[in-house]
Amino acid sequence: MTARQESRTQVGIVGAGPAGLVLATLLARAGIDSVVLEARSRAYVQARVRAGVLEAPTVDLLREAGVAGRLDREGMPHTGISLRFAETPGGPAEDHRIDFADLVGRGITVYGQQEVVKDLLADRIDDAGLPVEFEVSGVEIHDVTTDAPSITYTAADGTAHRLRCDVVAGCDGFHGTARSVVAPEIVERVYPFGWLGVLAQAAPTTDELVYSHHDNGFALYSMRSPEVTRLYLQVPPDTEAGSWSEARIWDELQTRLACDGFTLNEGELLEKPSVTGMRSMVASPMRHGRLFLAGDAAHIVPPTGAKGMNLAIADVRVLAEAVERFYRDGDERGFDDYSATCLRRVWRAEHFSWFMTSMLHRFDSSTEAGDPFGVGLQRSQLRYTVTSRAAATSLAENYVGLPHGAV
Ligand code: RFL
Ligand code: PHB
């Protein structure tokens, strides 16, 4: 057996999703070296279709980091969303616009997560020549309770490596391994449904996202560009994406999104439909010694509040500041505060995502008797949200994103 190749950096980052790549960018801007280790190929991570909504503080951060050039040119600024529902069961649905600009003076930007990832990889690899190792396997994190942790892994060419560092960032997502090294307490809730998502070559017919509460279940109307629509349907949790024909998907979208004056353009599906389970999960603490968890590795929200990627980016802002303080002043207080600081924002987003999920989905589709009391509560909450300026402002403030450090 050949010996492991040894190398050293300041921060070893596991995972090249939004958390790992934004962290690497912020550290580079502060003159701190890092190496990013990623299990998948560059092409794969650049093509993975996921989030679409950037909060205002996320856009601010990407601008400050100097990686928002294309986002500013191609991102679609939105100043509101619509909640669509019928006043009475079985009645005609109506749109109720939540006007973010009027209510909180800020908006969101619709820009695909994979576009953010492409921009960050281009900045790091193509422009700055900094390291991201793709297609690594067998990642193991060692000695995190000492001040000399390391990461062992097998590189794409089969060679064995040990990366020595001062700090390890576990940015390896929900299915990663870093969380097990921290061994945090986990609290979670699994919802009795999933989302079937499709990406279609079809021009959006409204400028804004539509969240539709319908007797058949929830539907979401979103977009990626002036030519591409992104759509989701609530489905039973164990649904095989392949069991829904294209015709059935469009039929159900037409039914659940039907509203006077609204047309849903249909078009060729640009990728196979996929089903995502819906869960809430919080791991705490988010740190063990010199290992820090960030993003989906530490917490999951159901996508109804559009918070997952934004939370991942908020975590690594806190981590980058703590690491900077450590190298600048030898001060570890940022490390000590990391978990509690992040978890305050995490729990706010958990609550908001749970609230949006609870208000908009059908929870009773599996039982014949249904849950008329639950539906009555949902309708009441929807009405209250669209008729009370205070309630609408609360939704708007959470949706566009509370300022970093505000909670
Ligand atoms: P990621 O993006 O999962 O990245 C983790 C990376 O780690 C790699 N990895 C490993 N690398 C090395 N060794 C290992 N052992 C490894 N194990 C894993 C993985 O290959 C991957 O590249 O986590 P990160 O960076 O924390 O980012 C989180 C976001 O991706 C996630 O929260 C969002 O996609 C959630 N989300 C949404 N978030 C929003 O802010 N707004 C939205 O509108 C939104 N919509 C969504 C969503 C997620 C969805 N799905 C599919 C889960 C809509 C959907 C349908
Ligand atoms: C998306 O465009 O993928 C999207 C938008 C809003 C959400 C979730 C996903 O709440």
Side-chain angles (χ1 to χ4, degrees):
M1 212 180 111
T2 51
R4 279 188 188 281
Q5 298 191 15
E6 297 262 342
S7 55
R8 212 200 113 73
T9 188
Q10 290 176 295
V11 181
I13 301 174
V14 186
L21 292 173
V22 171
L23 177 63
T25 303
L26 296 177
L27 294 175
R29 299 293 185 262
I32 297 166
D33 291 338
S34 65
V35 171
V36 182
L37 302 175
E38 166 58 46
R40 304 286 193 159
S41 67
R42 181 171 181 176
Y44 185 93
V45 300
Q46 292 194 160
R48 201 162 37 191
V49 178
R50 282 192 172 174
V53 172
L54 305 186
E55 290 180 343
T58 300
V59 174
D60 293 343
L61 178 74
L62 295 172
R63 282 192 187 130
E64 282 164 33
V67 283
R70 195 162 69 93
L71 161 63
D72 279 331
R73 287 193 304 278
E74 297 177 19
M76 302 157 86
H78 285 200
T79 56
I81 55 169
S82 279
L83 299 180
R84 183 171 291 178
F85 60 97
E87 291 287 329
T88 49
E94 279 177 53
D95 267 345
H96 303 267
R97 182 162 189 264
I98 306 290
D99 186 333
F100 299 154
D102 172 46
L103 293 163
V104 293
R106 304 214 70 184
I108 51 149
T109 304
V110 173
Y111 189 65
Q113 176 170 327
Q114 76 272 33
E115 305 306 322
V116 176
V117 165
K118 275 184 214 164
D119 295 345
L120 291 163
L121 286 172
D123 177 76
R124 181 169 177 86
I125 302 172
D126 308 332
D127 299 346
L130 293 172
V132 180
E133 284 226 35
F134 291 102
E135 298 180 73
V136 304
S137 55
V139 165
E140 286 185 32
I141 302 166
H142 310 273
D143 302 325
V144 298
T145 54
T146 72
D147 57 10
S150 68
I151 307 171
T152 53
Y153 63 96
T154 304
D157 64 5
T159 53
H161 288 251
R162 180 181 296 274
L163 176 66
R164 297 190 183 279
C165 46
D166 302 317
V167 171
V168 179
C171 302
D172 52 354
F174 180 60
H175 300 289
T177 55
R179 191 167 61 249
S180 66
V181 180
V182 172
E185 184 197 345
I186 307 278
V187 290
E188 65 182 334
R189 177 160 301 182
V190 178
Y191 300 88
F193 40 76
W195 277 16
L196 183 143
V198 297
L199 191 69
Q201 187 70 45
T205 48
T206 71
D207 292 342
E208 295 181 343
L209 273 63
V210 178
Y211 288 79
S212 183
H213 173 79
H214 188 273
D215 289 342
N216 287 12
F218 169 73
L220 172 61
Y221 177 87
S222 181
M223 60 209 68
R224 284 293 179 272
S225 73
E227 296 85 35
V228 174
T229 314
R230 176 77 169 150
L231 301 143
Y232 298 96
L233 284 170
Q234 174 185 351
V235 291
D238 45 6
T239 300
E240 289 275 340
S243 67
W244 279 66
S245 68
E246 256 185 75
R248 182 175 175 207
I249 292 171
W250 286 115
D251 224 40
E252 198 55 32
L253 285 166
Q254 294 286 5
T255 303
R256 295 191 199 177
L257 290 167
C259 182
D260 235 12
F262 174 83
T263 318
L264 173 64
N265 283 342
E266 299 187 9
E268 183 200 340
L269 299 191
L270 297 173
E271 57 162 39
K272 276 203 207 127
S274 59
V275 174
T276 311
M278 301 271 283
R279 72 169 69 223
S280 302
M281 182 280 279
V282 179
S284 64
M286 290 167 59
R287 169 206 185 186
H288 183 45
R290 288 287 180 88
L291 169 60
F292 298 85
L293 300 178
D296 280 13
H299 39 73
I300 293 292
V301 286
T304 330
K307 287 283 164 255
M309 169 173 52
N310 294 294
L311 260 191
I313 291 174
D315 285 350
V316 297
R317 171 182 222 155
V318 178
L319 184 53
E321 283 168 5
V323 171
E324 249 187 280
R325 194 168 165 187
F326 169 68
Y327 283 115
R328 194 185 52 227
D329 308 325
D331 182 345
E332 298 200 19
R333 271 176 297 178
F335 290 167
D336 296 338
D337 295 343
Y338 172 73
S339 186
T341 304
C342 289
L343 284 167
R344 282 197 291 276
R345 189 179 186 85
V346 168
W347 273 109
R348 177 87 300 281
E350 290 289 348
H351 184 276
F352 179 66
S353 306
W354 163 85
F355 161 75
M356 290 287 281
T357 303
S358 306
M359 178 169 73
L360 288 161
H361 291 75
R362 286 298 291 226
F363 281 75
D364 57 352
S365 40
S366 55
T367 62
E368 216 167 285
D371 177 17
F373 183 74
V375 173
L377 293 178
Q378 288 177 313
R379 247 180 244 290
S380 167
Q381 186 61 40
L382 283 162
R383 263 214 71 69
Y384 177 54
T385 302
V386 302
T387 52
S388 154
R389 189 170 174 92
T393 304
S394 171
L395 189 152
E397 179 179 48
N398 281 278
Y399 198 98
V400 307
L402 290 150
H404 286 163
V407 276

